[in-house]
């Protein structure tokens, strides 16, 4: 009997739904540290991923045909090995749309309404009314990487009365985006933004795409948010822009090196809001991943192609 190996904890309800969708499969659940030898190699479907299972999953005698990862990003997976072995890969894109969008605006609103200063003052029991308080209405937000999260972000931005600019590879229009640019027009798009949000996946083309030239193109008053990938930013260039007053502030959830070293200058900047790579966290996470998985699992067991969140190995996303 073919096997589905789940590397994440599942509720009884989740297990029952998976078994109902794939009655001809044996469902096995195991923590990464408790995997028996050969368990991964024998599984046709992996629900979850860890670098610790790579050796068995891509081994010549592995039965693995499909991997459903628990994350949206797949840049840390052995994509070339998957392609060569014919393993299909699906991700959790869409799971994060609501929490990451809310996180983006938490950072932006925190900066706009000076909450980042207020929290520091509260810690020191210090009453200080100084600071500039602005509004989002009428401002321009540039969303770099208009996928599912970008579309959700644009919709919320519109509710605040903002002008929306999008940047995506295809340049195709998207709901709630007023103007869409292609990636090769990124510099022009950045020059128009009051708030710039990076949601790009990490690919060879997006690595260090936010370099000195890109930060120089931004308005001195711009606020930069990164909830995409830390490696898409040249950190030293961003720090220089912040220190020189060429960038008003930043809200950062991802970094080139994680955890962010304790002696890093970003920690001490009062115009920077830092969160520890948690923008996508939500109590609804597992429910949404399982929904994607079940939808594809029904297709898989019926001999139909996977249709949700299938990774294109040529694009790396």
């Amino acid at each position: 009997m073919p096997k589905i190996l789940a590397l994440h904890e599942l509720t009884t309800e989740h297990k029952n739904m998976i078994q109902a969708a794939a009655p001809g499969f044996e469902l096995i659940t195991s923590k990464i540290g408790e995997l028996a030898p050969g368990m991964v190699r024998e599984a046709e479907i992996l629900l979850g991923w860890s670098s610790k299972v790579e050796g068995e999953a891509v081994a010549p005698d592995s039965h693995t045909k499909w991997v459903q990862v628990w994350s949206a990003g797949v840049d840390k997976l052995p994509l070339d090995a998957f392609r060569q072995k014919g393993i299909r890969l699906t991700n959790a894109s869409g799971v994060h749309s609501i929490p990451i969008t809310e996180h983006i605006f938490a950072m932006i609103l925190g900066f706009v309404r000076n909450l980042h200063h207020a929290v520091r003052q509260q810690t020191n029991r210090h009453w200080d009314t100084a600071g500039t308080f602005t509004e989002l209405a009428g401002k321009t937000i540039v969303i770099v990487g208009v996928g599912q999260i970008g579309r959700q972000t644009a919709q919320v931005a519109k509710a605040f009365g903002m002008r929306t600019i999008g940047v995506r590879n295809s340049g195709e229009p998207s709901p709630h985006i007023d103007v869409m640019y292609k990636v090769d027009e990124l510099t022009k798009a950045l020059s128009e933004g009051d708030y710039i949000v990076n949601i790009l996946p990490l690919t060879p083309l997006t690595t260090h795409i936010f370099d000195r030239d890109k930060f120089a193109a931004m308005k001195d008053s711009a606020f930069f948010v990164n909830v995409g990938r830390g490696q898409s930013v040249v950190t030293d260039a961003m720090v220089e822009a912040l220190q020189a007053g060429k960038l008003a502030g930043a809200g950062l959830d991802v970094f080139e090196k994680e955890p962010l070293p304790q002696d890093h200058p970003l920690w001490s900047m009062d115009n920077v809001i830092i969160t520890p790579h948690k923008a996508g966290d939500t109590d609804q996470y597992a429910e949404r991943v399982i929904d994607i998985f079940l939808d594809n699992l029904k297709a898989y067991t019926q001999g139909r192609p996977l249709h949700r969140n299938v990774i294109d190995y040529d694009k790396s996303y």
Side-chain angles (χ1 to χ4, degrees):
M1 179 179 288
K3 297 177 175 61
I4 299 171
L5 174 59
L7 302 175
H8 290 267
E9 186 174 346
L10 301 176
T11 65
T12 299
E13 182 181 7
H14 291 157
K15 292 177 183 178
N16 290 339
M17 289 191 297
I18 291 170
Q19 288 286 202
F25 282 73
E26 178 185 359
L27 175 62
I28 302 169
T29 60
S30 177
K31 295 179 180 178
I32 298 295
E34 299 175 0
L35 288 167
M39 189 178 288
V40 173
R41 197 183 310 249
E42 294 171 2
E44 184 169 324
I45 300 171
L46 293 180
L47 175 54
W49 180 258
S50 165
S51 59
K52 295 179 181 178
V53 307
E54 179 178 335
E56 284 200 36
V58 301
D61 60 345
S62 168
H63 294 180
T64 307
K65 295 182 179 178
W66 170 28
V67 175
Q68 166 70 59
V69 293
W70 217 254
S71 62
V74 296
D75 48 276
K76 295 182 180 179
L77 275 73
L79 302 185
D80 289 340
F82 279 13
R83 185 209 293 261
Q84 291 172 12
K85 191 165 174 56
I87 296 173
R88 282 160 282 185
L89 175 63
T90 53
N91 69 355
S93 179
V95 169
H96 312 84
S97 297
I98 292 174
I100 291 184
T101 294
E102 293 182 358
H103 202 91
I104 288 166
F105 280 97
M107 287 181 159
I108 290 175
L109 288 168
F111 185 78
V112 167
R113 304 307 304 166
N114 268 307
L115 297 184
H116 56 311
H117 289 153
V119 170
R120 292 181 175 99
Q121 292 161 11
Q122 180 179 349
T123 301
N124 297 320
R125 300 176 181 235
H126 180 58
W127 184 278
D128 186 350
T129 59
T132 301
F133 293 80
T134 58
E135 301 176 357
L136 294 185
K139 300 296 196 305
T140 296
I141 185 170
V142 178
I143 302 166
V144 186
V146 182
Q148 296 187 60
I149 298 169
R151 288 193 292 272
Q152 182 78 14
T153 301
Q155 182 177 1
V156 174
K158 278 300 178 186
F160 278 106
M162 304 181 78
R163 176 174 178 254
T164 56
I165 292 177
V167 180
R168 68 193 315 184
N169 271 329
S170 66
E172 294 178 0
S174 181
H176 312 293
I177 295 289
D178 295 320
V179 179
M180 184 71 78
Y181 289 108
K182 291 185 176 181
V183 173
D184 60 8
E185 301 172 294
L186 177 58
T187 299
K188 177 173 172 54
L190 296 178
S191 69
E192 300 180 37
D194 298 300
Y195 303 94
I196 294 154
V197 180
N198 174 34
I199 321 177
L200 287 171
L202 187 65
T203 69
L205 293 176
T206 64
T207 298
H208 288 166
I209 192 170
F210 286 94
D211 55 16
R212 283 178 175 80
D213 290 341
K214 299 303 189 300
F215 284 109
M218 298 178 193
K219 297 178 181 179
D220 292 358
S221 58
F223 183 76
F224 176 69
V225 177
N226 191 7
V227 290
R229 282 291 182 262
Q231 294 89 344
S232 62
V233 174
V234 178
T235 305
D236 288 346
M238 179 179 64
V239 169
E240 289 170 9
L242 288 164
Q243 291 174 332
K246 297 299 182 182
L247 186 63
L252 308 172
D253 185 60
V254 291
F255 305 87
E256 282 193 271
K257 183 178 181 181
E258 296 182 1
L260 184 67
Q262 289 187 340
D263 60 352
H264 201 282
L266 285 169
W267 286 115
S268 60
M269 295 183 178
D270 63 4
N271 58 343
V272 174
I273 300 171
I274 291 173
T275 53
H277 205 147
K278 302 293 283 183
D281 279 21
T282 170
D283 56 1
Q284 300 298 312
Y285 200 103
E287 296 295 330
R288 292 173 183 157
V289 175
I290 294 299
D291 179 66
I292 294 168
F293 179 64
L294 286 172
D295 202 6
N296 276 328
L297 183 60
K298 291 171 186 175
Y300 185 89
T301 56
Q302 293 169 12
R304 295 185 284 112
L306 303 180
H307 58 279
R308 286 188 67 181
N309 295 4
V310 180
I311 297 301
D312 181 336
Y313 291 126
D314 287 333
K315 296 180 179 179
S316 299
Y317 65 87

